[in-house]
Amino acid sequence: MPALPEAPQPALALLLQAFSGRALQLQTLPTTPPDAPPARAILTPSHLLLPAGDWTNQRATAAHAAAHLLHSPAAQASATLKPLAQAVVAAVEDARVEQLLMRQLPGLRSWFLAGLRASVQPQGLSFTALVSRLSLALHDESYADGNAWVYKARTLFATARAQQGLADYAAFRRLATLLANDLGQMRVRFEPQQYAAPASYRDDNSYLWDHGVANDGQAQPLQAPLQEQQPASGAAAQAIESVLCVHHYPEWDARSAVLRPDWCTLYELRPLLKAQASASRMQRPLPPLQRQRAQHGRRLRRQWEGETLDLDAAIEAAVERRVQGTPLGRIFQRPGPQIQALSLLVLLDCSLSTGMRASEHAPSLLEVEQAAALLLARAVQASGQRIALHAFCSDTRAQVRYHRLLDFGQPLDAQAEDRLRALQPAYSTRLGTALRHATALLADEPAERRALLVLTDGEPSDVDVHDRRYLIDDARVAVQEAARQGVPVCGLAVDAGSTDYARRIFGSGNFRVAEAPAQLPRQLTALHARLTGI
């Protein structure tokens, strides 16, 4: 496992609590790849995740976080703002809340100015350079900058501070929107995936925005690594996850047509199970899955010639003739060779949205996924085939969680069932990274054929991605990479509006749509039958 930075100093948590009046948990972020944007702190209502850094920088980060906690409205809707506008609003908001905190604690001025002066880029017209100069100009009246946009920003900020006061968030958001519009008129290029706040002590501003992905109040940021522990005994025993290993995977940026190496960090996890996994969640009756029988041969359908007619193909050909189409002549069936051994990896989406229920007493989608996967695993193992059940969710590209619930060759015993049942919904859906890791695991399988089957409830998304097509395109490329390695990928989406993005990711004919969770077992059976050639 890669070496991780040292944990934040305990004094930092006390400093943050003294400034903000709130006790937050501090954790250290994993080291980012060399070609990634500089790491910035991540603030949530309960946690502050810090990149590695010296004490001077980290104490300024704690003070800046306290300013947000005290004075920023959290989780504002971002749908009406483009990514460039969000970044400008965030930069103005950083200055506003810091000045509010400096009114209470004037000594913090030197902490903030040190970081702003160290990060300023006095030359250039890139977005990062302009924001670095804007940030310093709003705090340091002695700083002289000849750029008209920076001068306008400083003038508007001073006017709003004098007329409306620093407490008026709406006024400063309006002026930031005007500044963002000016940058658009200036054709300043903005790359959201490459941008980080210029000042290293400032956080990534995800605290300010709600990008339409629900936040799980119960989900906690990953402690990396989680220490492997033995579960406690008795009714109070809790599920604990251990980090098996950490991997880095690339991600496709369709806008730049670049595969960014080592862009995402994936944590491979295995639960060390609690004794009280609630079996009642899994006892709702569901349609049985078709069990695959061991076969000495099979019937090949839609053949050019054969012993008997393929009735489905013959009917379709008759319909084509009626509508004056051109029917295919493949209307026969004949005996075929025995089905080759298949290693099937079923990948479950366990993002936060899978925990939603249609009604108070209805099972959640994740519970239906768990039950259907369990039935499928029993049927596959009974037929002598190999199957693995894994799951995934993500909390930005720095933390893709990959849960290994049942591995190839493992018996589906009580412990494996409990691992599956203990899975909880959390975070988001960075599908491409999970697909790449699942494909890598399948590469070690000795079976004649290997396949990957994905169960999901919606299109890929994550809180650090604002372009909804970005992760769809990355997942599509991951599917293509798997196909080049001889691993077909099929998808089953429980989402009535999923046809467009499912077709783009998996390709025509390689996906099915279940419009309601109750349809999932039947559709899962059909996809498995297609993969095995039943």
Side-chain angles (χ1 to χ4, degrees), residues 109-152:
R109 176 181 174 81
S110 61
W111 293 12
F112 296 142
L113 279 178
L116 295 172
R117 287 169 177 161
S119 63
V120 70
Q121 300 179 31
Q123 304 297 325
L125 296 175
S126 69
F127 181 84
T128 301
L130 289 172
V131 169
S132 73
R133 292 148 67 184
L134 162 73
S135 300
L136 179 58
L138 296 184
H139 273 348
D140 186 357
E141 295 180 358
S142 65
Y143 171 69
D145 195 292
N147 184 271
W149 183 80
V150 175
Y151 177 79
K152 179 179 179 179

Side-chain angles (χ1 to χ4, degrees), residues 244-526:
L244 299 179
C245 50
V246 181
H247 301 269
H248 297 288
Y249 286 101
E251 190 166 84
W252 174 255
D253 186 339
R255 293 164 302 179
S256 304
V258 170
L259 187 67
R260 303 190 185 282
D262 296 334
W263 190 250
C264 299
T265 303
L266 180 143
Y267 292 84
E268 197 175 271
L269 307 171
R270 183 185 297 281
L272 303 174
L273 279 172
K274 59 185 177 182
Q276 62 171 29
S278 176
S280 62
R281 299 188 321 162
M282 300 291 294
Q283 293 177 357
R284 306 180 193 275
L286 286 166
L289 286 166
Q290 176 181 337
R291 175 170 293 192
Q292 177 186 348
R293 294 191 297 270
Q295 299 183 21
H296 299 292
R298 56 174 174 160
R299 306 294 293 177
L300 299 179
R301 302 182 183 276
R302 302 182 185 278
Q303 302 297 304
W304 290 108
E305 57 183 19
E307 301 172 348
T308 58
L309 282 175
D310 181 340
L311 292 180
D312 289 339
I315 291 171
E316 290 174 7
V319 171
E320 283 293 327
R321 289 193 187 94
R322 288 288 184 93
V323 298
Q324 298 181 345
T326 305
L328 295 175
R330 304 168 68 102
I331 60 172
F332 297 97
Q333 58 180 342
R334 60 181 175 82
Q338 180 179 356
I339 296 175
Q340 294 177 316
L342 173 71
S343 287
L344 176 65
L345 193 154
V346 180
L347 186 60
L348 309 178
D349 172 3
C350 64
S351 58
L352 188 63
S353 56
T354 63
M356 297 180 180
R357 303 173 186 271
S359 64
E360 181 180 356
H361 301 292
S364 69
L365 173 59
L366 181 58
E367 291 171 356
V368 178
E369 283 186 7
Q370 291 166 319
L374 186 59
L375 290 170
L376 177 63
R378 287 172 179 162
V380 170
Q381 288 198 349
S383 70
Q385 302 283 342
R386 290 168 66 83
I387 189 169
L389 302 178
H390 296 168
F392 77 99
C393 61
S394 64
D395 184 16
T396 76
R397 68 183 179 89
Q399 196 177 108
V400 181
R401 300 173 174 224
Y402 191 95
H403 308 265
R404 296 182 66 158
L405 309 171
L406 175 71
D407 283 328
F408 290 112
Q410 287 186 336
L412 189 59
D413 54 17
Q415 276 198 339
E417 292 187 17
D418 284 345
R419 280 197 297 271
L420 179 61
R421 290 168 177 157
L423 191 65
Q424 296 294 318
Y427 302 115
S428 305
T429 320
R430 210 175 197 102
L431 177 58
T433 305
L435 286 174
R436 289 183 176 92
H437 189 61
T439 303
L441 295 176
L442 275 166
D444 296 330
E445 270 297 286
E448 300 164 88
R449 294 189 302 133
R450 298 158 296 158
L452 178 54
L453 201 163
V454 180
L455 273 64
T456 183
D457 75 321
E459 65 186 61
S461 65
D462 211 336
V463 293
D464 61 342
V465 175
H466 312 302
D467 180 354
R468 62 176 294 188
R469 292 292 295 270
Y470 176 85
L471 291 179
I472 293 176
D473 287 331
D474 174 61
R476 174 179 57 83
V477 171
V479 169
Q480 293 171 348
E481 293 169 357
R484 286 193 290 270
Q485 298 178 47
V487 178
V489 182
C490 290
L492 176 51
V494 187
D495 176 7
S498 65
T499 301
D500 289 342
Y501 71 77
R503 180 181 291 110
R504 182 164 181 80
I505 292 173
F506 301 106
S508 297
N510 294 325
F511 70 94
R512 285 179 175 264
V513 175
E515 296 188 357
Q519 298 177 9
L520 191 148
R522 178 174 56 83
Q523 298 281 29
L524 182 60
T525 301

Side-chain angles (χ1 to χ4, degrees), residues 185-254:
Q185 297 295 323
M186 294 159 59
R187 300 293 189 268
V188 174
R189 186 173 181 179
F190 179 65
E191 293 287 349
Q193 305 304 322
Q194 292 295 312
Y195 176 71
S200 59
Y201 73 85
R202 287 181 172 175
D203 60 83
D204 68 352
N205 286 306
S206 56
Y207 176 80
L208 302 177
W209 304 114
D210 177 4
H211 298 297
V213 179
N215 295 319
D216 180 11
Q218 300 302 317
Q220 301 297 323
L222 181 64
Q223 300 178 17
L226 292 176
Q227 298 299 319
E228 184 167 327
Q229 305 176 39
Q230 294 298 324
S233 59
Q238 295 296 313
I240 301 168
E241 284 189 313
S242 63
V243 177
L244 299 179
C245 50
V246 181
H247 301 269
H248 297 288
Y249 286 101
E251 190 166 84
W252 174 255
D253 186 339

